[in-house]
Amino acid sequence: MSALPGPGPLDVPRRTLGIRIRRVPDGLLLGYRDQAVLLSGPAELIYRLADGDRTVADIADGVAGEYGIDAAEALADVVEFLADQGGSGTLQW
């Protein structure tokens, strides 16, 4: 994770318009600009939950419930993923 501040628990991430999304057997394939990214497992869930309505904390709760992990661990993982994806341009807040 970079030294720049990432999203906070009350931020509301949303998917960037113009991303091509295709469901594939291994998860979601995102096409953006000249890049393609395959999201699977928790990354796929986080991306699907980042719908512009849920906060980062709401998304972390969904991940914690789905994977049976501690809420604080889920929040840290979600913040890291969202910061990475925000830097790539596939998510915004």
Side-chain angles (χ1 to χ4, degrees), residues 57-81:
D58 294 336
I59 294 169
D61 288 345
V63 171
E66 179 72 21
Y67 289 96
I69 61 173
D70 178 71
E73 180 183 351
L75 180 61
D77 291 346
V78 167
V79 166
E80 181 177 3
F81 175 80

Side-chain angles (χ1 to χ4, degrees), residues 11-59:
D11 288 331
V12 179
R14 61 183 163 83
R15 296 174 217 118
T16 301
L17 295 177
I19 302 290
R20 293 176 309 279
I21 303 170
R22 180 167 296 182
R23 184 168 296 281
V24 295
D26 294 335
L28 293 178
L29 185 61
L30 308 182
Y32 185 64
R33 297 184 187 141
D34 63 344
Q35 300 176 13
V37 176
L38 177 64
L39 300 179
S40 61
E44 177 186 359
L45 177 60
I46 295 167
Y47 188 81
R48 284 190 297 111
L49 293 175
D51 58 6
D53 291 326
R54 293 178 177 95
T55 65
V56 172
D58 294 336
I59 294 169

